[in-house]
Amino acid sequence: MGEQLLYKHLQQELKKKIYAGELTDGDLLPSENELTQMYKVTRTTVRKALDELVKERIIRKEKGKGSVVTRDNKNLGLLGVKGFSQVVTAQNKKVSTKIIEAPAMSAWPEMFFYPLSETEEKSGCISMKRLRLVENDIVMLENTYIPNFGMSKLCETPFVNGSLFETLHEVFHLNILRVEQDMRAIIAQGETATLLKVYEGHPLLNIYLKFYTDKKNICIYSNLLCNTTKYSISS
Amino acid sequence: MGEQLLYKHLQQELKKKIYAGELTDGDLLPSENELTQMYKVTRTTVRKALDELVKERIIRKEKGKGSVVTRDNKNLGLLGVKGFSQVVTAQNKKVSTKIIEAPAMSAWPEMFFYPLSETEEKSGCISMKRLRLVENDIVMLENTYIPNFGMSKLCETPFVNGSLFETLHEVFHLNILRVEQDMRAIIAQGETATLLKVYEGHPLLNIYLKFYTDKKNICIYSNLLCNTTKYSISS
DNA sequence: GAGTGGTCTAGACCACCTG
DNA sequence: AGGTGGTCTAGACCACTCG
């Protein structure tokens, strides 16, 4: 346990301070030289830790000024490494979620939209279907698939702040690193049209998402069907 | 001018070799130690160059083995900071462009899809309309709008390698830094359907792009209409 | 065991920003 | 002018992969 990479340690220390509110949007981190002294490491190590935070979009660096905390990301729309509720609420919109199918253990769907690793295949999956609303407009139908690595608790307890990602972070210490996406335009049909309350033939944006986590071989998959008539999807 | 960062130089040298086909999918790059000797730089510099290539998804690193060229990605990775031809050709697809309306000076369209800065507004714009094909399939109709800051030469000379972005780089020393995008699903109608050779009512992916450049107040705008039936759009 | 990438140290010079 | 991040050097030890 105690053994940890120096840069990872520093990275997590800084992340904690940011998430705890000690450092907030726009604040400057201690300079790289200060951090070398505070943590008794070289600048290379400090820079590696900061580079990781930049990758996570938690800070940004400005030459001549310093490392700035960025907890805004307003135009990150949907496609960044964030969940729906975190993103849209950041834009001062009233967001709500209607659960169509609560999280439940099942086998993986046949012909799953992404190839699965062997470990994922064996573990089975937890799937759920949710409807997303912004300002009382139905904007999205979301099918989510999570490999079941001892996460059956997901099926029993409500989500932290209603957010899957926050729950994964808080309860399972699982963090999303990056996301791959694949987009198509399709035509609304059948149940999808009914749930989204659009006519059959209405155009929808179909997004396949694959979220990579900090645990190897664990990815989370989502299939989004978006009615973009009123709200577009940005990044 | 000529002066270039060592790691950028190395990064580009390696990229060239990959794009030129000297190194292809699955091949191993020279090891980091070999590269230090070949280019007379330290390993830090080599690693920085390789890190950038990893970011660009051009290679992946495997501990104990080496740096592996990864040219997979079946679909159009369009949404990074790259032009269409650069992206798609990198995936071993035959790409072609059919010019519907050659670059020409004009006023900005009324109700332009992005708000313009005052300087952009005054300068007028150069617009063009192009059809993009992959493996002889029409996949995209692209409307591009460039503020005319002394770029009338764009209307006279063919593009460098057929690429707008390469031309902007080579001729005007204008580089793309990042891109904002906004996506919708729409229904093909009228001229759009005709040009893309799809039926009216066919779903299309409509992407608005705003490319930020290294010159302040100069952005380049594109409006894409994509037939995603055969090729999806990824990022 | 030889080679690879991953981590880390201890320095240095530079361009950039701000007071 | 002093501090900041960006780049770079010249080493070192480690865990991992492979023959």
Side-chain angles (χ1 to χ4, degrees), chain B residues 15-23:
Chain B
K15 217 193 299 197
K16 272 184 205 163
K17 292 197 178 176
I18 291 166
Y19 285 138
E22 285 184 50
L23 293 165

Side-chain angles (χ1 to χ4, degrees), chain A:
Chain A
M1 293 276 124
E3 273 320 308
Q4 202 187 11
L5 296 174
L6 292 175
Y7 83 85
K8 286 255 177 196
H9 175 71
L10 174 52
Q11 177 187 350
Q12 288 187 1
E13 287 296 310
L14 293 171
K15 217 194 297 196
K16 272 184 206 164
K17 292 196 178 177
I18 291 165
Y19 282 131
E22 284 185 49
L23 294 165
T24 70
D25 196 11
D27 286 357
L28 270 101
L29 257 57
S31 77
E32 297 182 352
N33 283 321
E34 284 171 338
L35 289 171
T36 61
Q37 291 163 23
M38 291 164 62
Y39 290 88
K40 311 289 181 200
V41 292
T42 33
R43 211 171 134 219
T44 310
T45 306
V46 169
R47 284 179 62 77
K48 174 72 175 166
L50 296 182
D51 278 353
E52 293 297 312
L53 294 177
V54 169
K55 267 190 212 165
E56 295 188 65
R57 309 267 214 134
I58 291 175
I59 64 169
R60 95 180 154 266
K61 295 218 205 178
E62 294 187 12
K63 204 193 296 194
K65 291 175 69 178
S67 302
V68 187
V69 178
T70 63
R71 290 248 48 87
D72 51 341
N73 294 325
K74 52 183 178 305
N75 56 6
L76 196 33
L78 191 64
L79 306 173
V81 180
K82 299 192 173 179
F84 181 83
S85 30
Q86 282 173 312
V87 168
V88 183
T89 52
Q91 299 171 353
N92 295 320
K93 305 267 194 228
K94 277 180 219 159
V95 170
S96 55
T97 300
K98 188 179 173 190
I99 296 176
I100 307 294
E101 292 174 12
M105 284 178 274
S106 65
W108 291 95
E110 284 187 61
M111 297 287 293
F112 193 62
F113 50 84
Y114 270 107
L116 295 166
S117 71
E118 203 173 319
T119 41
E120 285 175 331
E121 187 84 57
K122 280 183 194 161
S123 65
C125 92
I126 295 171
S127 69
M128 54 192 290
K129 191 189 286 253
R130 294 178 293 177
L131 218 45
R132 306 297 208 155
L133 294 83
V134 177
E135 306 278 358
N136 298 321
D137 293 309
I138 300 173
V139 297
M140 189 183 300
L141 177 61
E142 179 170 7
N143 294 287
T144 307
Y145 305 88
I146 306 157
N148 185 7
F149 289 101
M151 290 167 174
S152 49
K153 198 193 275 186
L154 272 180
C155 306
E156 300 151 17
T157 332
F159 290 168
V160 177
N161 296 329
S163 161
L164 171 61
F165 287 176
E166 280 192 55
T167 308
L168 292 173
H169 172 68
E170 299 279 342
V171 182
F172 302 99
H173 307 293
L174 195 66
N175 296 293
I176 307 298
L177 294 183
R178 64 187 184 86
V179 61
E180 264 179 21
Q181 52 199 339
D182 218 65
M183 283 168 290
R184 290 191 152 77
I186 61 166
I187 291 294
Q189 290 175 328
E191 191 206 7
T192 303
T194 310
L195 287 170
L196 288 169
K197 292 193 179 161
V198 296
Y199 294 111
E200 301 225 346
H202 188 89
L204 298 177
L205 185 50
N206 184 200
I207 309 180
Y208 297 99
L209 293 171
K210 178 177 185 175
F211 295 97
Y212 289 83
T213 70
D214 51 5
K215 292 211 174 38
K216 270 187 189 170
N217 300 318
I218 300 194
C219 289
I220 292 170
Y221 304 89
S222 267
N223 180 10
L224 309 183
L225 295 150
C226 310
N227 179 3
T228 54
T229 311
K230 199 156 177 177
Y231 296 96
S232 66
I233 304 294
S234 69
S235 63

Side-chain angles (χ1 to χ4, degrees), chain B residues 5-7 41-45 63-65:
Chain B
L5 296 174
L6 291 176
Y7 82 86
V41 293
T42 30
R43 206 165 140 229
T44 311
T45 306
K63 203 194 294 194
K65 291 175 68 178

Side-chain angles (χ1 to χ4, degrees), chain B residues 33-52:
Chain B
N33 282 321
E34 284 171 338
L35 289 171
T36 61
Q37 289 162 24
M38 291 163 63
Y39 290 89
K40 311 287 181 202
V41 293
T42 30
R43 206 165 140 229
T44 311
T45 306
V46 169
R47 284 179 61 77
K48 174 73 174 167
L50 295 183
D51 278 353
E52 293 296 313

